[in-house]
Amino acid sequence: MTPEVERLERLAERLRAVDPYVPPPGAKIRGWNLVLAAVEQSNTARLRVHPIRRLVLATVAAAVLLVAGAVAASADSLPDSVFYPLKGVLENTRGALTFGASDQLAYHLELANTRLTEAQAMFARHRVDLAAEALSALDDQLNAAALVIQAEKQSDPAVGAAMENRLRQAIVTHDAQLAGLQGQVTNPTALNAIMQARDRAAQALQTAGKPATSNGNGNSGQGNGATNSPHPTPKH
Amino acid sequence: MRPLGKAASDDDRPLIERVRQGDQDAVRALYERYFDRIYNYAYARLGRAEDAEDLAIDTMTRGLTRLDLFQDQGVAFSSWIYRIAHNATIDHYRRHGKVVLVSLEHAPALESADPSELAVEQLSNQDLHTAIRELTEEQQQVLILRFFQDLTAAQVASIMGKSVGAVQALQHRALGSLERTLQGRAVN
């Protein structure tokens, strides 16, 4: 052990022998009272937070359940349901997220089917006004489908032709259903709405068969009234 | 040297769990275990009983009311409470200023004083405390924790966030600086 290390070791030993500073009893008691008060206050604050957190969690859970329930209820809702506007919002959201001509065509044809089903249900409930709106929305969807086909024909005529064939088949099916419906109703307004719907469906097929014009009809199907309407039955 | 109570290396986890569950007896037990030690540490650092009392109470309050923060620290409760005390000391210096802050770590030994003549056994406790407060922050901390608080090098390393080797080297330099400080005082 070198002299320096010996010296430092002696100094270290001397430091170990130093009496510690001990707090006076009064300071320790005072400290305990203050610490205890702070700990109790902290515990109280924590307990106060818990009910608030529970309330927030319960509110969020209820909101989630409510929204999920409303969405589920709206999926099959009819035009006379309070959930029907939500159905339109969901459909438009889906439309905004649908890309590609084939998918857009399928989207419009599916909505056209839905509108036809709604119209049939409304006729059955003697809600001619709502049935007429549904038929008008049906035609909007067919027209939107026709515009998608027009645009597709410009870029790929073969694919466009196949899509046109899909539209034709859909319109034939719709027309058969509308003809059956026409035979069941006697209300002149209802008859008129059905006939108009059949005519407009035929016009949509003609639109699909025409070449796209430069006045904006030749878009890809997005941006038209049927797609972006906030309501499944936009015409009043 | 009178003992400062139960060793800081004792496992505090069961007590801490009980404190979290609102057990007041556990709060008292931790307070009893650490208050004297923190007071002693604070007094050695600050040199005034009133300041040491305030700092010890503040440290214990922070430590026992913020156990949720301790959970994520990954160190022993003893290390954590000493770190709080150290930070409180730094805050105190910032607010009130430090009387002496002269690093003697690299100061040359006084030629006029023969180190072998320094009679360490005759030094008063007050001399030692005063001389320690003239050292650097880290040197003070290592000497106080190692010799006044009787902690191991590993415990000090955990508190200071250093390796054991770094603490041992720092301790060696701190003792050398203390020796030179005491020599300087003896000469003057």
Side-chain angles (χ1 to χ4, degrees), chain A residues 5 52 94 98 105 113-114 135 144 153 158-159 167 183 202 207 227:
Chain A
V5 172
I52 295 170
R94 214 182 107 211
T98 302
L105 176 66
N113 264 331
T114 304
L135 289 176
K153 274 183 173 175
V159 173
L167 176 64
T207 303
T227 305

Side-chain angles (χ1 to χ4, degrees), chain B residues 131-148:
Chain B
I132 283 174
R133 281 196 286 274
E134 292 182 22
L135 304 182
T136 65
E137 287 286 335
E138 285 196 330
Q139 288 174 348
Q140 285 184 50
Q141 201 177 6
V142 76
L143 292 184
I144 290 168
L145 293 175
R146 285 286 283 127
F147 302 119
F148 293 172

Side-chain angles (χ1 to χ4, degrees), chain A residues 46-70:
Chain A
R46 202 178 306 136
L47 287 173
R48 261 203 310 269
V49 167
H50 282 170
I52 295 170
R53 280 187 186 159
R54 276 201 298 271
L55 185 65
V56 169
L57 282 175
T59 307
V60 168
V64 167
L65 283 175
L66 198 65
V67 170

